[in-house]
Amino acid sequence: MLYSPVVEAAPEDRPAPRMSGPALMVIFGASGDLAQRKLLPALYNLVQKKLLPDDFTILGYSRTPYTDEEFRALARGGVEKYSDAEFREADWQRFAQGIFYLTGNYDDAEGFARLKARIEELDQSRRTGRNRLFYLATPPSVYEPVATQLGRADLVHPVDNSPTGPGDDHSWTRLVVEKPFGHDLASAHALNEHLLSIFDEDQIYRIDHYLGKETVQNILVFRFANGIFEPIWNRNYVDHVQITVSENIGVEQRGGYYDKSGALRDMVQNHMLQLVSLVGMEPPVAFDAKAVRDQKVNLLRSIRPLAPEEVSHYVVRAQYSPGDLDGERLPAYRDEEGVEPDSTTETFVAWKLEIDNWRWNGVPFYLRTGKAMPQKVSEIAIYFRRAPHLLFDSADDPEHISRNVLVIRIQPDEGISMKISAKQPGPAVKLQPVNMAFQYGSSFGATPPDAYQRLLLDVVLGDGTLFTRRDEVEVAWERVTRVLDGWKRQEEEARSGGAPLRLPTYDAGTWGPDAAEQMLRVENQRWRKP
Ligand code: NDP
Ligand code: BG6
């Protein structure tokens, strides 16, 4: 065991729960999938656990007409279906009496005047403390108009001195922005400029739901609360790092969105680069928003920028072709609904990423992500160097196992394991890999809560540590836009050669194209089988 199972603390030893004060949350796009599937179930769980107060107030806002009662019925459906907590009628009633709805457009002064009037009414009747949280759960095309209208309607307090707030009444205003935050560096920069013309950076919470996952937060605890790992967490001991985020589904009903995005924008720019930054960053001086994000930005800035002509050497992309996945036949990506028949959007990316700093120079970070792969897995594998001198000959070690691999499993089967070599019982010296393992389920007796619970609570508490800062988003986009530029160049070259580009393919239900295997084979490595 790396950690022994947790011992239940006596009540007086337990830390005080992070209970928030009163607030009003306006969900723009409240009729949509995110609100029903993630936000409302997470808020219900927080109220049920008494981490949000009973008078926490939710005001849904979107164009679809609902009365308060109709919207509550919709929300109830979402909570019953998607909440990971037990549905209890009494808790629901307590939660539902704080849910309201207003129909309106996103770019319309009249709608926002009505919104303002409704908010002020709820400020009084629900004693919100005038604390306001605006959540952009709409498609990104609506982010800018909503922010503009909020500013024009005078719904944004000028400064936010969280956690107590500014001014005489100590109230605060915060804005949560969903992904995708831009589609390249220029658009992310423009969106930042726009939002920052209305809100202060401290008021903006850019969501990356991977940062709300318990196992992702545990990367920092694992690295910085255990003295034994930091001394070996560098180029002297680590051979390379593999990060896999695979999904065993195709694009399903999201073909229209996905075809304009692709795996690089959808997964690498945000979730995977966040994982890279947490694994690779230097120790922060404190566990607070500024110190942690400063170090993450430093790490992202150390990622070697690629010139367009280098991209094909470092980055592999591919699309899935027909194949069997969990007993079902998946069509080719190009035949999915909403996808262009001649699409060059990638459903798989592998990237050999080099980090130019003292800690990681010469230690490649291999990233791979894709749809239609055999398993849904997110994990980070740290491959340590072999022992400098092996006492046992290769016949004793047929699988070359004499290398330690630390695996941080983000999902499913959340936990951490370390592969070590052991002697098989018996008269001969024969090596066999064994695992030392810690699993959330068995050690803590529960599966980790959904990421949105943690993130929503942090926003209400004014803690930005698990949200991406302006410079972080832009440096991640800067490195990713270079890859996009390289791909654009490949497409232009193919077109000028008279043959439009076709991406390499991999059969649905496999671990990706041959080129990704080759990327590691030339280095005498291979991808870990999760
Ligand atoms: P939806 O497509 O369900 O849109 C949400 C709501 O926005 C809709 O109900 C609709 O409400 C309104 N809307 C939809 N299209 C438009 C449009 N073109 N112009 C104006 N309004 C529109 O999106 P999701 O709920 O799935 O996602 C919301 C945001 O969250 C997106 O940015 C998405 O990328 C992000 N996200 C979603 C996740 C999920 O699991 N769904 C996961 C991670 C991020 P109405 O017509 O009533 O106004
Ligand atoms: C989202 C992507 O951000 O993350 C989806 O848009 C992807 O395409 C999802 O399916 C994966 O999240 P998780 O938490 O299921 O790993």
Side-chain angles (χ1 to χ4, degrees), residues 28-35 37-38 61-64 66 101 104 106 136-143 178-180 209 254 257 452:
F28 294 100
S31 58
D33 178 73
L34 182 75
R37 221 160 42 84
K38 294 287 184 187
Y61 184 100
S62 43
R63 299 170 304 182
T64 310
Y66 296 115
Y101 185 81
Y106 303 111
L136 299 178
T138 60
S141 56
V142 180
Y143 297 168
E178 263 295 341
K179 66 157 287 204
H209 78 276
R254 298 172 71 219
Y257 153 76
Y452 276 91

Side-chain angles (χ1 to χ4, degrees), residues 179 209-210 213 247 249 254 257-258 266-267 271 371 376 378 411:
K179 66 157 287 204
H209 78 276
Y210 262 61
K213 292 181 190 274
E247 292 185 274
I249 49 170
R254 298 172 71 219
Y257 153 76
Y258 195 87
D266 189 47
M267 298 299 284
H271 310 323
K371 299 274 184 198
K376 179 171 175 69
S378 300
Q411 60 187 25

Side-chain angles (χ1 to χ4, degrees), residues 255-329:
Y257 153 76
Y258 195 87
D259 206 37
K260 292 190 186 62
S261 168
L264 186 71
R265 290 184 171 102
D266 189 47
M267 298 299 284
V268 178
Q269 184 276 336
N270 38 61
H271 310 323
M272 296 196 80
L273 289 184
Q274 286 297 325
L275 297 181
V276 171
S277 68
L278 292 172
V279 171
M281 68 192 263
E282 294 302 315
V285 292
F287 189 57
D288 62 38
K290 181 172 185 325
V292 170
R293 297 192 291 189
D294 282 351
Q295 293 301 357
K296 283 167 65 191
V297 172
N298 282 345
L299 190 281
L300 292 171
R301 289 178 57 203
S302 311
I303 294 174
R304 186 178 302 168
L306 296 179
E309 62 279 9
E310 290 178 307
V311 167
S312 58
H313 179 71
Y314 286 95
V315 189
V316 167
R317 58 175 163 158
Q319 273 175 355
Y320 60 83
S321 52
D324 293 323
L325 199 53
D326 291 336
E328 283 192 25
R329 190 79 187 155

Side-chain angles (χ1 to χ4, degrees), residues 215-455:
T215 29
V216 172
Q217 294 161 47
N218 200 32
I219 297 170
L220 293 183
V221 176
F222 182 78
R223 286 190 58 195
F224 302 129
N226 297 291
I228 61 170
F229 297 110
E230 210 40 32
I232 56 169
W233 209 259
N234 56 48
R235 64 194 301 275
N236 297 327
Y237 293 90
V238 178
D239 182 82
H240 70 278
V241 177
Q242 294 185 17
I243 303 184
T244 298
V245 178
S246 60
E247 292 185 274
N248 58 349
I249 49 170
V251 290
E252 301 190 310
Q253 290 78 36
R254 298 172 71 219
Y257 153 76
Y258 195 87
D259 206 37
K260 292 190 186 62
S261 168
L264 186 71
R265 290 184 171 102
D266 189 47
M267 298 299 284
V268 178
Q269 184 276 336
N270 38 61
H271 310 323
M272 296 196 80
L273 289 184
Q274 286 297 325
L275 297 181
V276 171
S277 68
L278 292 172
V279 171
M281 68 192 263
E282 294 302 315
V285 292
F287 189 57
D288 62 38
K290 181 172 185 325
V292 170
R293 297 192 291 189
D294 282 351
Q295 293 301 357
K296 283 167 65 191
V297 172
N298 282 345
L299 190 281
L300 292 171
R301 289 178 57 203
S302 311
I303 294 174
R304 186 178 302 168
L306 296 179
E309 62 279 9
E310 290 178 307
V311 167
S312 58
H313 179 71
Y314 286 95
V315 189
V316 167
R317 58 175 163 158
Q319 273 175 355
Y320 60 83
S321 52
D324 293 323
L325 199 53
D326 291 336
E328 283 192 25
R329 190 79 187 155
L330 214 68
Y333 172 69
R334 285 181 165 199
D335 294 332
E336 293 274 22
E337 201 186 317
V339 174
E340 295 293 330
D342 57 352
S343 169
T344 54
T345 300
E346 75 291 350
T347 62
F348 174 97
V349 179
W351 183 350
K352 177 183 173 185
L353 198 132
E354 309 260 16
I355 298 178
D356 289 332
N357 66 18
W358 276 54
R359 186 187 284 265
W360 295 117
N361 193 273
V363 179
F365 279 51
Y366 296 105
L367 318 185
R368 70 173 161 168
T369 185
K371 299 274 184 198
M373 293 172 79
Q375 269 174 264
K376 179 171 175 69
V377 172
S378 300
E379 67 168 35
I380 299 161
I382 317 283
Y383 280 73
F384 290 93
R385 292 188 188 284
R386 293 180 198 285
H389 172 62
L390 205 56
L391 300 176
F392 314 101
D393 69 29
S394 54
D396 302 327
D397 183 13
E399 293 175 52
H400 305 287
I401 55 180
S402 53
R403 181 153 72 174
N404 303 116
V405 184
L406 177 81
V407 178
I408 301 175
R409 181 80 165 217
I410 290 158
Q411 60 187 25
D413 306 325
E414 292 81 356
I416 297 173
S417 67
M418 178 80 165
K419 190 178 94 169
I420 54 173
S421 296
K423 180 187 169 302
Q424 279 182 21
V429 178
K430 212 151 183 54
L431 273 58
Q432 184 176 322
V434 292
N435 269 334
M436 291 197 295
F438 144 71
Q439 281 206 309
Y440 266 85
S442 51
S443 292
F444 294 108
T447 47
D450 182 73
Y452 276 91
Q453 286 181 45
R454 169 64 193 257
L455 295 175

